[in-house]
Coordinates of all heavy atoms in Angstrom, one line a residue:
V194 N -0.2 7.4 -3.5 CA 0.5 8.4 -2.6 C 0.4 7.9 -1.2 O -0.7 7.8 -0.6 CB 0.0 9.8 -2.7 CG1 0.8 10.7 -1.8 CG2 0.1 10.3 -4.2
S195 N 1.5 7.6 -0.5 CA 1.6 7.3 0.9 C 2.6 8.3 1.5 O 3.8 8.0 1.5 CB 2.0 5.9 1.1 OG 2.2 5.6 2.5
S196 N 2.1 9.4 2.0 CA 2.9 10.4 2.5 C 2.7 10.6 4.0 O 1.6 10.9 4.4 CB 2.7 11.8 1.8 OG 3.3 11.7 0.5
G197 N 3.7 10.5 4.8 CA 3.5 10.6 6.2 C 3.1 9.2 6.8 O 3.0 8.2 6.1
A198 N 3.0 9.2 8.1 CA 2.8 7.9 8.8 C 1.4 7.3 8.7 O 1.3 6.1 8.7 CB 3.1 8.1 10.3
R199 N 0.4 8.2 8.6 CA -1.0 7.6 8.7 C -1.7 7.9 7.3 O -2.2 8.9 7.1 CB -1.7 8.3 9.8 CG -1.1 8.1 11.2 CD -1.8 8.8 12.3 NE -1.1 8.8 13.5 CZ -0.2 9.7 13.9 NH1 0.0 10.8 13.1 NH2 0.4 9.6 15.0
T200 N -1.7 6.8 6.5 CA -2.4 6.9 5.3 C -3.9 6.6 5.6 O -4.2 5.7 6.5 CB -1.9 6.0 4.2 OG1 -1.8 4.7 4.8 CG2 -0.5 6.4 3.7
A201 N -4.8 7.3 5.0 CA -6.2 7.1 5.3 C -7.0 6.9 4.0 O -6.4 7.2 2.9 CB -6.7 8.2 6.1
N202 N -8.2 6.6 4.1 CA -9.1 6.5 2.9 C -8.5 5.5 1.8 O -8.3 5.8 0.7 CB -9.3 7.8 2.2 CG -10.0 8.8 3.2 OD1 -10.8 8.3 4.1 ND2 -9.8 10.0 3.0
V203 N -8.1 4.4 2.3 CA -7.5 3.4 1.4 C -8.5 2.8 0.5 O -9.4 2.1 1.0 CB -6.8 2.3 2.2 CG1 -6.2 1.2 1.3 CG2 -5.7 2.9 3.1
R204 N -8.4 3.1 -0.7 CA -9.5 2.7 -1.7 C -9.3 1.3 -2.2 O -10.2 0.5 -2.2 CB -9.5 3.7 -2.8 CG -10.7 3.6 -3.7 CD -10.7 4.5 -4.9 NE -10.9 5.9 -4.4 CZ -10.8 7.0 -5.2 NH1 -10.3 6.9 -6.4 NH2 -11.0 8.2 -4.7
H205 N -8.0 1.0 -2.6 CA -7.7 -0.3 -3.1 C -6.4 -0.7 -2.6 O -5.4 -0.4 -3.2 CB -7.7 -0.3 -4.6 CG -9.0 0.1 -5.2 ND1 -10.1 -0.7 -5.2 CD2 -9.3 1.2 -5.9 CE1 -11.1 0.0 -5.8 NE2 -10.7 1.1 -6.2
L206 N -6.3 -1.3 -1.5 CA -5.0 -1.7 -0.9 C -4.5 -3.0 -1.5 O -3.3 -3.3 -1.4 CB -5.1 -1.8 0.6 CG -3.8 -1.9 1.4 CD1 -2.8 -0.8 1.0 CD2 -4.0 -2.0 2.9
G207 N -5.3 -3.7 -2.2 CA -4.9 -5.0 -2.7 C -4.8 -6.0 -1.6 O -5.3 -5.8 -0.5
D208 N -4.1 -7.1 -1.9 CA -4.0 -8.2 -0.9 C -2.6 -8.4 -0.4 O -2.3 -9.5 0.0 CB -4.6 -9.4 -1.5 CG -3.9 -9.8 -2.8 OD1 -3.0 -9.0 -3.2 OD2 -4.3 -10.8 -3.4
D209 N -1.8 -7.4 -0.5 CA -0.4 -7.5 -0.1 C -0.3 -7.3 1.4 O -0.2 -6.2 1.9 CB 0.5 -6.6 -0.8 CG 2.0 -6.8 -0.5 OD1 2.3 -7.6 0.4 OD2 2.8 -6.2 -1.2
A210 N -0.4 -8.4 2.2 CA -0.3 -8.2 3.7 C 1.0 -7.7 4.1 O 1.1 -7.0 5.2 CB -0.6 -9.6 4.3
V211 N 2.1 -8.0 3.4 CA 3.4 -7.5 3.8 C 3.4 -5.9 3.7 O 3.9 -5.3 4.6 CB 4.5 -8.1 2.9 CG1 5.8 -7.5 3.2 CG2 4.5 -9.6 3.1
L212 N 2.9 -5.4 2.6 CA 2.9 -3.9 2.5 C 2.0 -3.3 3.5 O 2.4 -2.3 4.2 CB 2.4 -3.5 1.1 CG 2.3 -2.0 0.8 CD1 3.7 -1.3 1.1 CD2 1.8 -1.8 -0.6
R213 N 0.9 -3.9 3.8 CA 0.0 -3.4 4.8 C 0.7 -3.4 6.2 O 0.6 -2.4 6.9 CB -1.2 -4.3 5.0 CG -2.3 -4.1 4.0 CD -3.5 -5.1 4.2 NE -4.5 -5.0 3.3 CZ -5.6 -4.2 3.5 NH1 -5.7 -3.4 4.5 NH2 -6.5 -4.1 2.5
A214 N 1.4 -4.4 6.5 CA 2.2 -4.5 7.7 C 3.2 -3.4 7.8 O 3.4 -2.8 8.9 CB 2.8 -5.9 7.9
H215 N 3.9 -3.1 6.7 CA 4.9 -2.1 6.7 C 4.2 -0.7 7.0 O 4.8 0.1 7.7 CB 5.6 -2.0 5.4 CG 6.5 -3.2 5.1 ND1 7.1 -3.9 6.1 CD2 7.0 -3.7 4.0 CE1 7.9 -4.9 5.6 NE2 7.8 -4.8 4.3
L216 N 3.1 -0.5 6.3 CA 2.4 0.8 6.5 C 1.9 0.9 8.0 O 2.0 2.0 8.6 CB 1.2 0.9 5.5 CG 1.7 1.0 4.1 CD1 0.4 1.0 3.2 CD2 2.5 2.2 3.8
D217 N 1.4 -0.2 8.5 CA 1.0 -0.1 9.9 C 2.1 0.1 10.9 O 2.0 0.9 11.8 CB 0.3 -1.5 10.3 CG -1.1 -1.7 9.6 OD1 -1.6 -0.7 9.1 OD2 -1.6 -2.8 9.6
E218 N 3.2 -0.5 10.6 CA 4.4 -0.3 11.4 C 4.8 1.2 11.4 O 5.2 1.8 12.4 CB 5.6 -1.1 10.9 CG 5.6 -2.5 11.4 CD 6.3 -2.6 12.8 OE1 7.5 -2.3 12.9 OE2 5.6 -2.9 13.8
G219 N 4.8 1.8 10.2 CA 5.1 3.2 10.0 C 4.2 4.1 10.8 O 4.6 5.0 11.5
A220 N 2.9 3.7 10.8 CA 1.9 4.5 11.5 C 2.2 4.4 13.0 O 2.0 5.4 13.8 CB 0.5 4.1 11.2
A221 N 2.6 3.3 13.4 CA 2.8 3.0 14.9 C 4.1 3.8 15.4 O 4.2 4.0 16.6 CB 3.0 1.5 15.2
H222 N 4.9 4.2 14.4 CA 6.2 4.9 14.8 C 6.2 6.3 14.4 O 7.2 6.9 14.2 CB 7.4 4.1 14.3 CG 7.6 2.8 14.9 ND1 7.0 1.6 14.5 CD2 8.4 2.4 15.9 CE1 7.4 0.6 15.2 NE2 8.2 1.1 16.1
A223 N 5.0 6.9 14.3 CA 4.9 8.3 13.8 C 5.7 9.3 14.7 O 5.7 9.1 15.9 CB 3.5 8.7 13.7
G224 N 6.2 10.3 14.1 CA 6.9 11.3 14.9 C 8.4 11.4 14.7 O 8.8 11.7 13.6
F225 N 9.1 11.1 15.7 CA 10.6 11.3 15.7 C 11.3 10.6 14.6 O 10.9 9.5 14.2 CB 11.1 10.8 17.1 CG 12.6 11.1 17.3 CD1 13.0 12.3 17.9 CD2 13.6 10.2 16.8 CE1 14.3 12.6 18.1 CE2 14.9 10.5 17.0 CZ 15.3 11.7 17.6
P226 N 12.3 11.2 13.9 CA 12.9 12.5 14.3 C 12.2 13.7 13.8 O 12.7 14.8 14.1 CB 14.3 12.4 13.6 CG 14.0 11.5 12.4 CD 13.0 10.5 12.8
G227 N 11.1 13.5 13.1 CA 10.3 14.7 12.8 C 9.2 15.0 13.9 O 9.5 14.7 15.1
W228 N 8.1 15.4 13.5 CA 7.0 15.7 14.4 C 5.7 15.3 13.8 O 5.5 15.2 12.6 CB 7.0 17.2 14.7 CG 8.1 17.7 15.6 CD1 8.0 17.9 16.9 CD2 9.4 18.1 15.2 NE1 9.2 18.4 17.4 CE2 10.1 18.5 16.4 CE3 10.1 18.2 14.0 CZ2 11.4 19.0 16.3 CZ3 11.4 18.7 13.9 CH2 12.0 19.0 15.1
G229 N 4.7 15.1 14.7 CA 3.4 14.8 14.2 C 3.2 13.6 13.4 O 3.6 12.5 13.8
D230 N 2.8 13.8 12.1 CA 2.5 12.6 11.3 C 3.7 12.2 10.5 O 3.6 11.3 9.6 CB 1.4 13.1 10.3 CG 0.9 11.9 9.5 OD1 0.5 10.9 10.2 OD2 0.8 11.9 8.3
Y231 N 4.9 12.6 10.9 CA 6.1 12.2 10.2 C 6.3 10.7 10.3 O 6.2 10.1 11.4 CB 7.3 12.9 10.8 CG 8.6 12.7 10.1 CD1 9.0 13.4 8.9 CD2 9.5 11.7 10.5 CE1 10.1 13.1 8.3 CE2 10.7 11.4 9.9 CZ 11.0 12.1 8.7 OH 12.1 11.8 8.0
R232 N 6.7 10.1 9.2 CA 7.0 8.6 9.2 C 8.5 8.5 9.1 O 9.1 8.9 8.1 CB 6.3 7.9 8.1 CG 6.7 6.4 8.0 CD 5.8 5.7 6.9 NE 5.8 6.3 5.6 CZ 5.0 6.0 4.7 NH1 4.0 5.2 4.9 NH2 5.1 6.6 3.5
P233 N 9.1 7.8 10.1 CA 10.6 7.7 10.0 C 11.0 7.0 8.7 O 10.3 6.1 8.2 CB 10.9 6.8 11.2 CG 9.8 7.0 12.2 CD 8.6 7.2 11.3
D234 N 12.2 7.4 8.2 CA 12.7 6.9 6.9 C 12.7 5.4 6.8 O 12.4 4.8 5.8 CB 14.1 7.4 6.6 CG 14.1 8.9 6.2 OD1 13.0 9.4 6.0 OD2 15.2 9.5 6.2
E235 N 13.1 4.7 7.9 CA 13.1 3.3 7.9 C 11.8 2.6 7.4 O 11.8 1.7 6.6 CB 13.4 2.8 9.4 CG 13.4 1.3 9.6 CD 13.5 1.0 11.1 OE1 13.6 1.9 11.9 OE2 13.4 -0.3 11.3
H236 N 10.7 3.2 7.8 CA 9.4 2.6 7.5 C 9.0 3.1 6.1 O 8.4 2.3 5.3 CB 8.4 3.0 8.5 CG 8.8 2.5 9.9 ND1 8.6 1.2 10.3 CD2 9.3 3.1 11.0 CE1 9.1 1.0 11.5 NE2 9.5 2.2 11.9
T237 N 9.3 4.3 5.7 CA 9.0 4.8 4.4 C 9.8 4.0 3.4 O 9.2 3.5 2.4 CB 9.4 6.3 4.3 OG1 8.6 7.1 5.2 CG2 9.2 6.8 2.8
G238 N 11.0 3.7 3.7 CA 11.9 3.0 2.7 C 11.4 1.5 2.6 O 11.4 1.0 1.5

Side-chain angles (χ1 to χ4, degrees):
V194 177
S195 172
S196 285
R199 302 178 189 91
T200 51
N202 298 332
V203 177
R204 191 181 287 170
H205 301 290
L206 190 56
D208 55 0
D209 186 352
V211 175
L212 179 57
R213 280 178 180 272
H215 290 335
L216 295 174
D217 289 346
E218 275 276 294
H222 290 85
F225 189 87
W228 286 265
D230 193 49
Y231 185 84
R232 175 171 56 195
D234 286 349
E235 173 187 0
H236 301 284
T237 298

